[in-house]
Amino acid sequence: MMAYDLTLQAVLERALRLYSKKEIISRDFSGIFRYTYGDFYKRTLRLANVLQDLGITKGDRVGTLAWNNHRHLELYFAIPISGAVLHTLNLRLGPEQLVYIINHAEDKVIFVDKDLLPLLQSIRDQLPTVEQIIVMSDTLEIPPCGLANPLSYEALLAGARETFSYPDLSEWDPAAMCYTTATTGSPKGVVYTHRALVLHCLAACLPDCLNLHEADRVLPFVPMFHVNAWGIPFACTWLGATQVFPGARPQAEDICRLIEDHKVTLAAGVPTIWMATYPLWESGKYDPSSLREIVNGGSAASVSMIRNYREKLGVPILHAYGMTETTPVVLVSRPKSTMENLSLEEKYQLSAKQGLLVPGLEMKVVGEDGREIPWDGKTMGELLLRGPWIAKEYYKDPVRSQDSFTEGWLRTGDIVTVDSEGYVGIADRSKDLIKSGGEWISSLDLENTIMDHPAVLEAAVIAIPHPKWDERPLACVVLKQDYEGLVEAQDILDFLRGKAPKLWIPDQVEFIEAIPRTSVGKFYKAALRARFAEAASALQTSEAPLRAKA
Ligand code: ADP
């Protein structure tokens, strides 16, 4: 066979040749912007010329501080096809972490959305490698800011050539990079090669995976600054699917409106957004009927959410799992054809698992002794992965690479079970796992069961130290508005009895207003552990379960 390099250049070319009339829709700063793949292609080549004129050469890192919009999509292609590395900057990181990742990657140029200028300006004098800042707006003007000589994206594009000769690239050349959100320690960088991105696209499009196709109209709520929006912009461009970008600071109402107005067939994001859109759809304010599926990833989708979406809205939730180090898609939960006879409830339980390994990857799950665990749906072990879109190291970080990459496998740090059919269920991240009297307790399973209580909006279960059992679970529960003050800790504990093993029943239930979130919307359990440290010391002196605070 031909020694053919898999690069994003061919992905872009296909979109032009076959789909130049198809549309890209973007919620821009001053309204909805629409253009065709043909126009997108021309602007992307202009942008590649701009990069060249700015002195960007092969291997240089180019930062993007931007929302999900069409300009970001242009950067997604123009940077890698010209041989540079697209470094998406997580705009929700604290200033210290942003400074760290920009300096660690040695970004040469940063493209910034106009409304994020104050954030960049506040750290500008700490970024010695950054030579130029380009401001993205829907006008030629740059809003007043204290930056020295910022350039206007639209003005640069207007003056750039429309033809571009691609540099020779190897599929092993770096195309993009992303840092983990790092709730502890500094973020860790992962570099994606062209080959990894293209092979990941192929796998993501498969019917048993995200089942993407040309006729889809796809809205990625998952930010383009985090793991390439799960690879969706690359895959959709390849297929010529219509892309609908939600723009700056999208709220649940914006998402519902965009889905209804633009007949979105597939939307993707973390559970936080699907919890926020649910009441808007349930009340009939917006129409979700164009959706054939919602992809939920990044954090677990609860059984109750999956059930409600299916039964009340008629929208299936597809549960997918991955991480920054895995480009990211690894597991997807769809029932096998042999499972048609499962009851609806059994199907919901199955959908709440993270699912089956996608073709192209290998996994093993090992116990504390390093031996593979039985696939019995009960025994827990750590998920290890290898394959063509799994990272082999962290960028310029040999020490932390050693901990996570051993003997050709990525240690995910996720503690899972595997059932006899091969469905993987995440019990916990290893750092969140609760170890009580030598037994592992899955906080995710407990949360799932608690969220089935009709009064519960959401729940997070954390470990707190215990003198006798080492650790015990504490449940932090957010009640639905209508139930506030009407439900007691004991009601939650009674609800759990019979549904979870006795040892797993939390010693304590705390009603809180909201569960703290990380920069990408996941439960921030470290913050809860810090908050309830006091409760932990109370437990040291008491064996009896504590009652919830009023
Ligand atoms: P970060 O590590 O920066 O928080 P990642 O997106 O890389 O961000 O997070 C990956 C982790 O998110 C996984 O290791 C896993 O713990 C969790 N995760 C991802 N998808 C799911 C899912 N569907 N269900 C439960 N947890 C998930």
Side-chain angles (χ1 to χ4, degrees):
M1 294 293 137
M2 294 180 182
Y4 178 86
D5 283 300
L6 302 169
T7 72
L8 293 174
Q9 293 170 343
V11 172
L12 180 65
E13 282 301 316
R14 184 175 192 271
L16 171 76
R17 290 290 163 94
L18 304 185
Y19 303 111
S20 66
K21 292 192 201 123
K22 295 240 10 227
E23 253 195 328
I24 295 163
I25 300 164
S26 181
R27 182 173 156 262
D28 210 348
F29 295 106
S30 50
I32 296 292
F33 173 86
R34 334 169 65 116
Y35 67 167
T36 62
Y37 272 103
D39 295 334
F40 155 74
Y41 178 86
K42 287 185 198 152
R43 279 174 55 97
T44 301
L45 293 199
R46 281 173 184 261
L47 180 56
N49 282 314
V50 167
L51 290 168
Q52 226 167 40
D53 296 346
L54 286 169
I56 296 296
T57 55
K58 202 168 167 192
D60 282 344
R61 270 79 60 209
V62 176
T64 61
L65 192 60
W67 301 99
N68 289 13
N69 56 40
H70 64 289
R71 288 183 202 88
H72 211 168
L73 184 70
E74 290 160 6
L75 288 159
Y76 257 50
F77 281 89
I79 297 170
I81 61 158
S82 54
V85 184
L86 164 80
H87 177 199
T88 51
L89 304 169
N90 180 341
L91 51 88
R92 298 218 177 83
L93 288 182
E96 235 172 72
Q97 290 191 321
L98 258 185
V99 168
Y100 174 85
I101 67 172
I102 295 169
N103 289 339
H104 190 260
E106 298 171 273
D107 291 342
K108 211 163 158 185
V109 168
I110 294 182
F111 287 81
V112 56
D113 269 342
K114 69 168 183 183
D115 63 325
L116 299 169
L117 266 172
L119 172 62
L120 191 58
Q121 198 184 330
S122 69
I123 56 171
R124 177 63 184 107
D125 58 356
Q126 300 171 64
L127 310 175
T129 64
V130 178
E131 294 168 9
Q132 191 65 61
I133 286 169
I134 293 108
V135 182
M136 297 189 284
S137 145
D138 42 8
T139 65
L140 297 177
E141 281 78 48
I142 298 174
C145 65
L147 292 171
N149 307 319
L151 298 173
S152 151
Y153 184 91
E154 291 299 333
L156 286 173
L157 250 62
R161 296 174 312 281
E162 217 163 67
T163 53
F164 177 75
S165 37
Y166 291 127
D168 278 340
L169 292 182
S170 148
E171 62 180 11
W172 297 102
D173 283 332
M177 69 189 302
C178 178
Y179 282 74
T180 60
T181 49
T183 44
T184 53
S186 45
K188 294 173 277 189
V190 174
V191 174
Y192 309 103
T193 58
H194 280 264
R195 175 187 155 88
L197 293 177
V198 173
L199 289 172
H200 177 267
C201 275
L202 273 179
C205 294
L206 289 173
D208 288 337
C209 197
L210 303 190
N211 188 19
L212 289 171
H213 40 88
E214 177 272 328
D216 267 322
R217 304 174 67 83
V218 183
L219 182 145
F221 176 80
V222 48
M224 289 171 88
F225 61 71
H226 192 57
V227 211
N228 309 317
W230 301 344
I232 289 171
F234 293 128
C236 287
T237 303
W238 208 4
L239 296 176
T242 304
Q243 303 186 57
V244 181
F245 292 108
R249 298 183 174 77
Q251 304 300 310
E253 294 248 358
D254 300 314
I255 298 298
C256 292
R257 196 173 304 119
L258 285 169
I259 288 174
E260 180 173 328
D261 288 354
H262 305 291
K263 304 273 170 286
V264 169
T265 57
L266 190 91
V270 291
T272 325
I273 184 66
W274 310 129
M275 287 175 64
T277 49
Y278 179 75
L280 296 170
W281 280 323
E282 199 204 12
S283 68
K285 189 164 180 200
Y286 296 97
D287 176 14
S289 62
S290 60
L291 285 169
R292 67 168 171 80
E293 215 158 41
I294 278 179
V295 183
N296 177 90
S299 299
S302 66
V303 178
S304 61
M305 184 167 97
I306 292 169
R307 189 189 300 116
N308 282 339
Y309 263 81
R310 184 80 208 207
E311 292 183 358
K312 305 262 175 59
L313 307 179
V315 178
I317 289 198
L318 178 68
H319 202 181
Y321 158 92
M323 57 197 301
T324 308
E325 293 83 339
T326 66
T327 314
V329 182
V330 169
L331 302 167
V332 177
S333 200
R334 291 187 188 280
K336 296 181 186 173
S337 59
T338 48
M339 294 174 162
E340 264 166 23
N341 293 337
L342 291 183
S343 69
L344 257 184
E345 197 51 40
E346 284 168 327
K347 282 188 182 155
Y348 297 145
Q349 298 289 342
L350 193 79
S351 301
K353 292 194 176 189
Q354 281 64 24
L356 296 174
L357 189 69
V358 304
L361 299 181
E362 280 183 62
M363 71 172 205
K364 66 178 178 179
V365 179
V366 298
E368 281 180 300
D369 57 4
R371 305 232 306 256
E372 285 199 52
I373 58 148
W375 287 17
D376 58 8
K378 289 198 291 274
T379 313
M380 294 184 207
E382 185 183 0
L383 177 65
L384 272 55
L385 295 166
R386 67 179 180 196
W389 57 90
I390 308 294
K392 67 172 167 49
E393 63 190 358
Y394 291 119
Y395 183 62
K396 290 196 314 196
D397 201 339
V399 175
R400 289 191 296 176
S401 291
Q402 248 178 12
D403 294 340
S404 296
F405 303 91
T406 48
E407 293 165 15
W409 291 88
L410 162 71
R411 303 186 60 138
T412 63
D414 285 315
I415 305 299
V416 305
T417 59
V418 191
D419 67 19
S420 57
E421 294 278 357
Y423 286 80
V424 178
I426 300 211
D428 253 314
R429 288 191 105 162
S430 53
K431 60 178 188 283
D432 292 333
L433 196 74
I434 306 163
K435 201 158 187 191
S436 189
E439 192 176 317
W440 283 351
I441 296 178
S442 162
S443 68
L444 259 67
D445 280 355
L446 275 175
E447 286 160 11
N448 229 326
T449 315
I450 297 172
M451 283 195 260
D452 245 354
H453 189 291
V456 174
L457 183 66
E458 51 186 10
V461 177
I462 53 168
I464 49 170
H466 189 279
K468 181 169 167 198
W469 300 103
D470 293 334
E471 287 178 343
R472 291 293 302 147
L474 176 149
C476 303
V477 173
V478 181
L479 291 177
K480 291 179 186 159
Q481 243 175 9
D482 296 352
Y483 290 90
E484 276 170 20
L486 300 177
V487 177
E488 304 251 317
Q490 199 55 49
D491 299 324
I492 303 291
L493 298 176
D494 290 345
F495 182 76
L496 281 174
R497 263 176 252 292
K499 297 190 178 78
K502 208 167 156 225
L503 176 86
W504 289 29
I505 309 279
D507 284 5
Q508 190 176 355
V509 176
E510 291 278 350
F511 293 114
I512 59 177
E513 269 172 24
I515 299 190
R517 297 290 212 276
T518 69
S519 61
V520 288
K522 303 182 186 198
F523 286 177
Y524 187 17
K525 291 195 180 176
L528 284 175
R529 282 194 289 268
R531 175 168 166 190
F532 291 109
E534 229 176 274
S537 52
L539 261 185
Q540 313 250 343
T541 53
S542 156
E543 285 277 309
L546 293 181
R547 304 304 301 269
K549 287 184 184 147

